[in-house]
Amino acid sequence: MENTKIIILAAGKGTRMKSDLAKVLHEVKGRPMICRVLDMVKQVSPTEVYLVIGHQAEKIREITQNFNVIYAEQKEQLGTGHAVMAVEPVLKDYAGDTVILCGDVPLLKAETVQALLAKYRQGNLDGLVLTVKLDDPKHYGRIVRNFAGYVERIVEYRDADAAEKAIQEINSGIYCFNTAELFAALKQIKNQNEQKEYYLTDVIGIMVGAGKKIGTLIIDDYLQVHGVNDAEDLKKAEAAIEE
Ligand code: UD1
Ligand code: MG
């Protein structure tokens, strides 16, 4: 797809995996998670792919060497928003759209990324979040909507109150943004939250507050947005692959 850049976040250690191996290097049915994401991205044929690495950066470079990606290093892992900022030096003058993917969401399909971009472009939006509704929304970030039904902000599970925890619509960690608006909002995020991290999710509330239009693409196939954070999540991802 023309004029599309993709950022993949893959710098985190993956503390909840309880393993020394960087999370995105864990194999799902014999293929490292990050390679599965890159295989999928290839099908979207974006203009450029930026891979944000940090924890075990050298190993990730080695394993992904056959892919055409530009690496950006996040020296300290201070959060998903901070991770995206690592790409700012190379992207700040880019006028097109940027898709953000997570290296720990291995079952996402290319057609969904294409649908996300198509909806974003048709809707004349500044940002779009891929979401699903789950019976058991677990520890995912929650999508908070206003009375009119528009997205207002995203709240992380750990920072959510009881009412917000009851929200069933969750953030997949997959987005499309107007690049300039994204970096403008990122400059305003703070780390005043339970994890003391710079959350990418906070840009949604900041953009909405500035009058920007944020849309959602809600999909039914929850497996596509299944995020792998611990050993049990990894098993579930493996079970979902039929090859
Ligand atoms: C994130 C979202 C959450 C969403 C979920 C979906 C935030 C704050 N939260 O939570 O709303 O429901 O994904 O799966 O964004 N990473 C870096 N550098 C960092 C931190 C993380 O590159 O400093 C990378 C990780 O390697 C990983 C991805 O970003 O690939 C997501 O990070 P993770 O810690 O798994 O976020 P979640 O808690 O899953
Ligand atoms: Mg995760």
Side-chain angles (χ1 to χ4, degrees):
M1 289 185 109
E2 276 174 40
N3 224 9
T4 307
K5 305 212 177 189
I6 296 186
I7 300 175
I8 306 171
L9 306 183
K13 181 174 189 291
T15 312
R16 290 165 281 179
M17 295 295 292
K18 297 192 168 55
S19 155
D20 289 335
L21 192 64
K23 178 163 67 176
V24 300
L25 290 175
H26 281 265
E27 291 184 356
V28 177
K29 284 257 174 107
R31 186 129 177 88
M33 248 193 281
I34 190 62
C35 295
R36 288 194 176 270
V37 175
L38 287 166
D39 290 337
M40 180 280 287
V41 160
K42 225 173 167 178
Q43 294 173 42
V44 179
S45 44
T47 336
E48 241 124 31
V49 181
Y50 300 90
L51 187 57
V52 182
I53 53 176
H55 191 75
Q56 293 185 337
E58 288 318 308
K59 259 192 195 163
I60 297 182
R61 277 179 198 266
E62 199 186 305
I63 279 182
T64 59
Q65 63 184 332
N66 293 328
F67 291 97
N68 184 16
V69 301
I70 298 162
Y71 299 96
E73 255 185 80
Q74 184 196 21
K75 301 269 181 228
E76 259 186 298
Q77 284 74 60
L78 302 180
T80 48
H82 183 260
V84 174
M85 284 186 219
V87 192
E88 190 181 9
V90 282
L91 261 191
K92 67 175 187 304
D93 297 323
Y94 168 63
D97 313 320
T98 300
V99 171
I100 300 179
L101 306 178
C102 288
D104 67 344
V105 180
L107 305 176
L108 185 70
K109 292 185 176 156
E111 63 211 48
T112 303
V113 177
Q114 275 149 352
L116 187 83
L117 267 161
K119 186 166 180 187
Y120 172 81
R121 286 172 179 170
Q122 282 159 15
N124 199 14
L125 298 163
D126 299 296
L128 188 82
V129 187
L130 180 67
T131 74
V132 296
K133 287 179 182 156
L134 297 177
D135 291 333
D136 175 14
K138 298 199 190 106
H139 289 78
Y140 290 103
R142 305 295 203 259
I143 305 293
V144 181
R145 292 179 181 269
N146 66 14
F147 290 119
Y150 292 110
V151 177
E152 204 167 69
R153 61 195 164 86
I154 296 174
V155 61
E156 286 307 287
Y157 175 81
R158 297 186 204 221
D159 301 299
D161 61 26
E164 289 162 344
K165 279 186 180 136
I167 296 172
Q168 289 179 306
E169 187 183 7
I170 63 100
N171 171 31
S172 66
I174 289 141
Y175 324 79
C176 185
F177 287 109
N178 169 312
T179 311
E181 298 296 349
L182 168 67
F183 287 118
L186 275 172
K187 286 199 172 58
Q188 298 178 51
I189 62 171
K190 300 194 171 65
N191 65 349
Q192 285 155 1
N193 50 58
E194 210 267 334
Q195 299 193 85
K196 300 279 175 288
E197 285 187 0
Y198 293 92
Y199 290 161
L200 175 59
T201 44
D202 283 351
V203 303
I204 301 297
I206 291 167
M207 288 173 84
V208 170
K212 304 293 169 200
K213 269 174 78 184
I214 305 294
T216 51
L217 176 67
I218 309 179
I219 59 167
D220 292 328
D221 183 7
Y222 63 90
L223 277 173
Q224 276 195 57
V225 305
H226 173 69
V228 175
N229 295 308
D230 59 26
E232 195 191 325
D233 293 334
L234 190 67
K235 270 191 208 150
K236 271 190 198 155
E238 294 218 298
I241 293 173
E242 284 160 13
E243 61 207 23

